Amino acid sequence: MKRITTLLTMLFAIGLLVACAAPVPSAAPAEESTTETSAAETRTVTHAMGETEIPTNPQRVVTLDAFFTLTPLVELGVPVVGSMSLGDDDPYPGLIAAEQEEITSVGFFEMNLESIAALEPDLIIGVDFVQPPYEELSQIAPTVVIATSFDWRDQHRTLAQIVGKEAEAEAGIAEYEAQVAALRDALPDDVTASVMTMHNEAILPMGPGAWAPVKVMDEVGLARPADEVTDDPEAWFLPLSSEVWPDIAGDVLFYTAGYPGMDEATAELVAEQLEKPIWQQIPAVQNGRAYSVDTRCWETFGGLRSAQCVLGEIASIFDENLPMTEAAAGDEAENEVVSCDKGLRSIDTAFGPTCIPDAPERVIALNENIMANLIALDAPPIAVQDWSRRDFTAYLGDTTGTIASVGNSDGPNYEAMLALNPDVIVAMPSNVDEESMETLTQIAPVAVAPADNTDWRGNILYVGEVIGKVDEAEALVAATDARLAEFRAAYEAQALADEEIAIIRSRADSFNIYHGDFFIVKITEDAGLKMPASFDEITERRLSLEAIELIEGDRLFVMVRNERESGAFIDLSASPLWQTIPAVQNDEVYLVNWSVWVAGWNIVGANLVIDDLYFYMLDEESPTPSPLAGLIIPEYGPQFDEERLGLE
């Protein structure tokens, strides 16, 4: 099997890895009539709405959608003067960014016929998928509406025929097909691939309607697991709840994280999905074979350029990141080994193997949980990117006082990092993308964990590997697991067999029920606690106060993050609605620290949760103190939040 590096070189040479575009449903080819009016100037075409006489060489085209017709026409070099857009912030697909300046928006959601008329188009092109007002548009300029298809080649050829660009279209398609054949020959045999799209709180496998990625994967021989295949050609996404994410069975997983121009709140929700423990249960994530891909070409449903972009990303990922399968490795296995200079060693990362110092001393952590684990291993970092401005690790207090800040949730401060001259930068996959990796690797070697370990065990073990303290990390994990087992034995000796707990966060005007796929759920399950089976049916992440009747369980743990939320909680706890909760009626409601119970997926936070469980569930202190108790601020304890927020 030839090396994919050779293939990539060839693909670059023939222009594969270009800026990408948006998928497009297509149509049956437009039929040109045998009679032409002013042969050199106009011709008649047959389309979904009838027959229309159009210019032979249109110079002022308006398209009626930002995906199906706009992108292919731009790719073909057609002068598009106006188009329906995607909104003010990100009006057109990002993969035609270079051509956007000359395109005027003629509406978003609602078509503005006056704006179209003002552009004085000589041709208007739409697709029946968007049901354009054909009669009104035809009064402005010749209008062609093509029928929807689910093969981007048909779409490309149909539009090319309408605007007289058949030769250009065929040349581009032929080049693409040659590139597909080359990649198909180079990829390992029998590798399956899953592909998922991520928006807000939904993560869904893509269906056949996601033309570019699904079509390209089929063509290069990347089979999809049987559960992720549907016969419905129009299914863009396949509905799957997070509870079945561990069944996503592809050897590799391609996923999109958010979309261009998303606001901060959406970006935060997307990031939270990647931090869920259940995400780590997906086999490809556990094996370090989950790859974030470019939303612009994998989700915007485009034509030739979009297909080329997907093809290029697949080739690049397999070449740079994916360890060859055992069956495919053969005599070429040595080609995947990274040879490091003296004083350096190879370590696996989410971006492939890299070389780091044997014993790094100047470490930068790209989130607070990595920082906490470094401190626990007696190797505090010189700096940290404070995603929560250290709210996640407030219990460490003065322990972090000398650690510099090199960014926050708004982004990293690369200049500050460079000035600190680090030996290595440690991150989780959700902290970085390909663009930021390019910058970070100019500063120092970057060790990105193969998976986003919201599982506290995986996080500290990887950090220990990076800094050369594997034995110390394993000892801390063993000590913590022993404390969990000790609690479980004591709890089971006195608890009712059918006792259940609930864990919620009380917000200003809503609440969250934590179940299934969070750090705190995993560690309480390890401690022998269980939640009501009814929680498995809850799919919403945030619930209105009217849904408070869903909070079942004999005991209730409540998290309140800040003073604003504490005021709302005081009002809620005084309401008749609150009194309907079984745990309230049992007088078994406990206020616990949000920073620990939600964001404490590090070895220190895990031990603090165990201390809380002893205090609230058994009304006693742990007989085996936390091995990291000396790192905690003196005033911190199980009732710390009640005093901090005035909720005694």
Side-chain angles (χ1 to χ4, degrees), residues 275-293:
E275 293 174 357
K276 290 182 175 181
I278 199 167
W279 177 259
Q280 314 309 319
Q281 297 177 29
I282 298 175
V285 176
Q286 292 179 333
N287 296 331
R289 294 183 176 183
Y291 305 104
S292 175
V293 291

Side-chain angles (χ1 to χ4, degrees), residues 426-584:
V426 189
M428 295 290 123
S430 58
N431 302 146
V432 295
D433 54 24
E434 290 187 5
E435 182 178 352
S436 60
M437 275 293 291
E438 289 183 10
T439 304
L440 289 168
T441 53
Q442 301 301 311
I443 299 172
V446 185
V448 184
D452 267 320
N453 287 309
T454 48
D455 175 358
W456 56 270
R457 295 178 181 87
N459 192 336
I460 189 168
L461 290 174
Y462 187 75
V463 170
E465 183 182 3
V466 171
I467 63 171
K469 291 196 171 188
V470 174
D471 290 345
E472 293 89 334
E474 290 178 346
L476 285 174
V477 169
T480 306
D481 276 330
R483 296 187 75 216
L484 279 167
E486 190 174 49
F487 170 84
R488 185 168 57 248
Y491 173 70
E492 291 174 351
Q494 58 178 276
L496 296 175
D498 59 350
E499 185 177 61
E500 296 174 329
I501 68 164
I503 304 171
I504 71 168
R505 174 184 173 185
S506 175
R507 296 175 176 269
D509 55 0
S510 60
F511 68 95
N512 303 82
I513 294 180
Y514 290 84
H515 66 96
D517 50 6
F518 285 88
F519 154 75
I520 190 56
V521 177
K522 175 63 176 174
I523 197 167
T524 51
E525 287 177 349
D526 288 345
L529 308 181
K530 62 182 180 180
M531 296 183 177
S534 60
F535 284 8
D536 293 337
E537 305 301 320
I538 299 173
T539 57
E540 295 84 0
R541 181 178 178 276
R542 186 181 297 188
L543 300 165
S544 67
L545 296 180
E546 287 72 21
I548 210 163
E549 63 183 15
L550 297 176
I551 304 177
E552 300 179 359
D554 304 287
R555 307 199 197 199
L556 174 62
F557 294 91
V558 181
M559 296 171 279
V560 180
R561 181 172 185 179
N562 51 37
E563 286 77 6
R564 180 173 66 88
E565 292 181 0
S566 69
F569 175 71
I570 291 172
D571 293 340
L572 173 62
S573 61
S575 71
L577 196 61
W578 182 254
Q579 303 305 317
T580 64
I581 299 174
V584 174

Side-chain angles (χ1 to χ4, degrees), residues 618-634:
L618 302 180
D619 195 25
E620 63 184 56
E621 291 186 0
S622 167
T624 304
S626 165
L628 302 162
L631 301 178
I632 308 305
I633 57 176

Side-chain angles (χ1 to χ4, degrees), residues 181-211:
L183 182 55
R184 185 171 57 245
D185 290 343
L187 288 176
D189 296 331
D190 302 323
V191 173
T192 59
S194 299
V195 58
M196 302 176 73
T197 179
M198 186 177 306
H199 281 302
N200 297 350
E201 297 173 65
I203 303 182
L204 306 170
M206 290 186 182
W211 296 277

